[in-house]
Amino acid sequence: MTHKLLASGTLGSTASYIDIDVSSYSGYKHLELHTYALFPSTGVGGTKIYFNSDTASDTNYACCYTESNNGSIAGATIGGLYINYTPNHSSSNIPSATTYINNFNVSGVKKPVMSRFGASNMIGMYTGAWNDTSAITSIRLSSWTQSFAAGYSYSLYGLV
Amino acid sequence: MGIRSLKTASISTGAKRSKFWDQVATPDAYVHISTVTVGAGGQPTIDFGTIPTGYKHLEIRGVVRTDSGNSSDALILKLNGSKSVYTHYLYGNGAPSAGGVGSSTTVGNTINVAGGGRTSGVFSGVWIMVQDHESSNKYKTSMSFGGYYQVGTGGEQAIFDNTFSTTSPITTVSLYVQSTASATTYNFAQNSSLSLFGIKGQQ
């Protein structure tokens, strides 16, 4: 099957991160990750992504974004590799994202990561990279500013 | 009840249990057609050749880098041998003042990609979709999303929309890279790789 669900889950309680093992998916070339982000409190919330055992710091990750939440375009370059974000999470302002990790298990390529994200009051895109050419064998979705709430869900698809 | 087709979920096995439901097995709606990976020395085009028929949409995913000395270059999609005639894009590179929108009727840029002036190993992620490509009465369009980042230096990102001047069914797909500022063409760098997928739909 060309496009297959590899893993999915929904948090039953608050957590600071979610780990996904992709070491057994060497038969796939590209990954596509869908996230529906819930946070315990109102305010800023987001998700950063890490790979393999390189989870201790943001040193080897960075991204830039272009977003709009008021009709004008804003952008910035930031350390860490973000895939979704909201400046003011609430029950009616929930960020979701589709993230592309192409050629995730080839060597020689510092893995580019692209995300399209949005919430009820903003829309944007992230592109970033992991500064490492290793094949990706595991993914960590890490909460930023505040934890993930119960109900945070993800689905990971593999493409040959 | 006629049995039209079977799939394993419809079958109960066992000596005394045999149950068949009237189900239609759905073939894969998303099909890998071809992948081209660039070897040592690079190559000037990624050519998927004549594509099989029977798909509603096409999708291209992969990673791209050029062998130029530039920070970024233009990845250009050709359908039936021709590039697009109109481009519109939303672009950003992380600088608050640099983001914006634009359009072009000359370059035919499908998405900006990392040039060879970037540190070794920096590649762009690329996603391109061509909708309703087998139609014989619609001008063809593509949507693209892509970008790259060189950790410690910077990157860029964009979404592009391209319009092609043909209403004919698309039978060939190829891509090449050139300068964003001139007609100078380059090679795809080694390890660049693009996969072409076909998506089923009502024709």
Side-chain angles (χ1 to χ4, degrees), chain B residues 11 174 176:
Chain B
I11 303 171
S174 64
Y176 67 100

Coordinates of all heavy atoms in Angstrom, one line a residue, chain B residues 11 174 176:
Chain B
I11 N -14.1 -12.3 5.4 CA -14.1 -13.7 5.4 C -13.9 -14.3 6.8 O -12.9 -13.9 7.4 CB -13.1 -14.3 4.4 CG1 -13.3 -13.7 3.0 CG2 -13.1 -15.8 4.4 CD1 -12.1 -14.1 2.0
S174 N 8.1 16.5 -16.1 CA 9.5 16.6 -15.9 C 9.8 17.8 -15.1 O 9.0 18.7 -15.0 CB 10.3 16.6 -17.2 OG 10.0 17.7 -18.0
Y176 N 13.1 20.7 -13.9 CA 14.5 21.2 -13.9 C 14.7 22.3 -13.0 O 13.8 22.8 -12.4 CB 14.9 21.5 -15.4 CG 14.2 22.7 -16.0 CD1 14.9 24.0 -16.0 CD2 13.0 22.7 -16.5 CE1 14.3 25.1 -16.5 CE2 12.3 23.8 -17.0 CZ 13.0 25.0 -17.1 OH 12.4 26.1 -17.6

